[in-house]
Amino acid sequence: MVLEILVLVVVGCVVPATSIRCEGDTDLNDVQEYTQAVYNIGDLDFWRTAQMSFQTYGKFEGDPQGAVITAAYYTENDGLIFGVNIDCSKGKWSSQITHNETDEVTKYLTGDLNKACNDGDEFDIWLKIHQPRSMSWIFNGQPLQYETRPTYTRHGQTRVVRTRTLKIWTKYGSDMGDHFTVKSSGAAKLTRLSWGQCISWPRSMQENCQQARDWVSARSKKAVEEGGLRHFGSNWHTFAPQCFQGSKYYLWLQNFVHPDRNSRGFPWCCCVSMVTGEAATEDGDDLCSLGSYDGTCGRSCMEFADAEIVEKVMKENDEMENGLNL
């Protein structure tokens, strides 16, 4: 498996990407199989929480009716933790686990795809890990789970009931993860994989903040009636890209970048390009500092506010407002 991972890594290359502070973000150049090795999984001193995301991107080139896409998370010895299969011909999906008693790979949940696979379309598959046996798949913004369960905790003397996704009755928990593998066939080509305690969005939306924000929101825990996935979402809507005054340009200071293993549970404040949303860097490091959940940041990032873009957007907004007042 080590050799396989090393060989597969050669086909990808790290490029400037539509994500901030991911552990990895790799261009896959239209391959049909890729394995991403991970590290220190299960070590909460290293990661702080069990939460993790794998985001795979691809596209259909040609007739997708024979296309099948599979993605799965494995242990070091190739034991299946949790997998998913997308069958474009049948318009079906199914998830798989390793049975606790028989050690056999077993079908877990099945369902219909909300949308057919079409030539020219992009696709994305997300695996969101919440806890060692609380995981969920998302395909093209469709949650591949359909039931929830109550969990209980206490805040002081108060008993609190929370709604969570189903417990995954697989033999191996996500804390035993060693590598994530995605494969495709037919017209389905793989273009990119990002992973970590982070959020990413398609490169095709790199220069349109509103599209990127809406796309991330559609996969978030935002209420269903507001366009999100609620309990089946990947992350809170709070962490979606922020746009300058409703325009296609990114706000130069992103003050709610998703927390990661180095932020101690707090969001990051990052200086970004208003055009691409990419984090600004200094000496190879992202220009990010610890933020807070009230939105307060220790820096303004004003040096990354593009004066021409700011003037253009404000002028367009003024003209629109004046038009509405006529």
Side-chain angles (χ1 to χ4, degrees):
M1 176 51 64
V2 173
L3 177 60
E4 179 187 3
I5 291 171
L6 290 175
V7 171
L8 288 171
V9 166
V10 172
V11 305
C13 59
V14 178
V15 298
T18 44
S19 64
I20 302 177
R21 300 195 67 83
C22 285
E23 293 293 319
D25 193 339
T26 306
D27 180 51
L28 300 184
N29 299 325
D30 297 349
V31 301
Q32 292 194 296
E33 181 174 349
Y34 186 74
T35 293
Q36 173 65 60
V38 297
Y39 41 81
N40 295 334
I41 300 300
D43 183 353
L44 294 187
D45 288 335
F46 182 82
W47 289 105
R48 200 190 71 82
T49 76
Q51 296 203 27
M52 190 73 61
S53 291
F54 294 88
Q55 300 116 353
T56 303
Y57 298 87
K59 61 185 177 182
F60 296 110
E61 287 188 336
D63 184 359
Q65 288 310 302
V68 175
I69 309 163
T70 62
Y73 198 31
Y74 293 98
T75 68
E76 182 178 4
N77 297 318
D78 291 334
L80 176 68
I81 297 172
F82 198 27
V84 71
N85 178 284
I86 307 296
D87 191 324
C88 289
S89 296
K90 297 178 181 178
K92 300 282 188 180
W93 64 266
S94 62
S95 54
Q96 301 83 35
I97 60 173
T98 297
H99 195 282
N100 263 319
E101 297 177 358
T102 66
D103 283 353
E104 293 181 355
V105 173
T106 305
K107 189 174 291 185
Y108 179 58
L109 294 176
T110 62
D112 297 323
L113 296 178
N114 287 347
K115 180 184 176 184
C117 306
N118 294 305
D119 181 16
D121 282 358
E122 296 181 335
F123 65 83
D124 62 280
I125 301 176
W126 286 38
L127 172 62
K128 173 64 179 188
I129 297 169
H130 307 277
Q131 295 294 336
R133 284 181 172 76
S134 179
M135 300 169 275
S136 54
W137 292 99
I138 302 171
F139 177 68
N140 286 347
Q142 175 186 351
L144 306 187
Q145 277 196 28
Y146 38 76
E147 294 180 6
T148 59
R149 63 189 169 103
T151 61
Y152 305 93
T153 187
R154 285 190 177 277
H155 287 171
Q157 298 299 312
T158 305
R159 187 171 186 255
V160 179
V161 181
R162 298 183 295 186
T163 302
R164 292 288 186 263
T165 56
L166 293 177
K167 183 174 182 178
I168 308 301
W169 294 100
T170 183
K171 179 175 182 177
Y172 309 108
S174 66
D175 54 341
M176 297 180 67
D178 177 78
H179 55 279
F180 179 88
T181 295
V182 58
K183 301 178 182 180
S184 65
S185 65
K189 306 295 177 60
L190 307 173
T191 59
R192 177 184 172 203
L193 187 145
S194 60
W195 74 282
Q197 295 172 328
C198 65
I199 293 174
S200 62
W201 53 94
R203 289 206 186 93
S204 59
M205 300 176 184
Q206 183 170 26
E207 296 189 7
N208 192 320
C209 180
Q210 285 297 333
Q211 283 187 6
R213 181 175 176 82
D214 291 345
W215 191 92
V216 171
S217 294
R219 290 151 178 77
S220 75
K221 295 179 183 293
K222 198 174 183 180
V224 173
E225 55 271 21
E226 296 177 2
L229 301 180
R230 194 59 179 109
H231 304 298
F232 304 114
S234 178
N235 295 284
W236 292 108
H237 170 67
T238 310
F239 303 122
Q242 297 166 283
C243 310
F244 178 62
Q245 294 196 358
S247 72
K248 71 175 185 178
Y249 299 103
Y250 296 83
L251 189 61
W252 57 85
L253 171 62
Q254 299 287 316
N255 62 348
F256 279 105
V257 174
H258 195 283
D260 64 15
R261 59 186 172 87
N262 294 309
S263 68
R264 305 193 300 275
F266 292 98
W268 288 100
C269 292
C270 296
C271 303
V272 306
S273 162
M274 291 188 70
V275 176
T276 66
E278 292 180 44
T281 60
E282 186 174 76
D283 297 328
D285 296 323
D286 291 343
L287 281 177
C288 297
S289 57
L290 286 181
S292 64
Y293 278 98
D294 65 4
T296 302
C297 292
R299 65 191 312 159
S300 68
C301 297
M302 283 300 298
E303 63 270 34
F304 297 96
D306 188 307
E308 290 185 7
I309 292 176
V310 170
E311 183 179 359
K312 173 186 173 183
V313 171
M314 294 183 70
K315 181 179 179 181
E316 289 174 352
N317 287 348
D318 287 343
E319 289 174 350
M320 184 180 298
E321 184 176 344
N322 290 336
L324 292 174
N325 291 333
L326 291 179

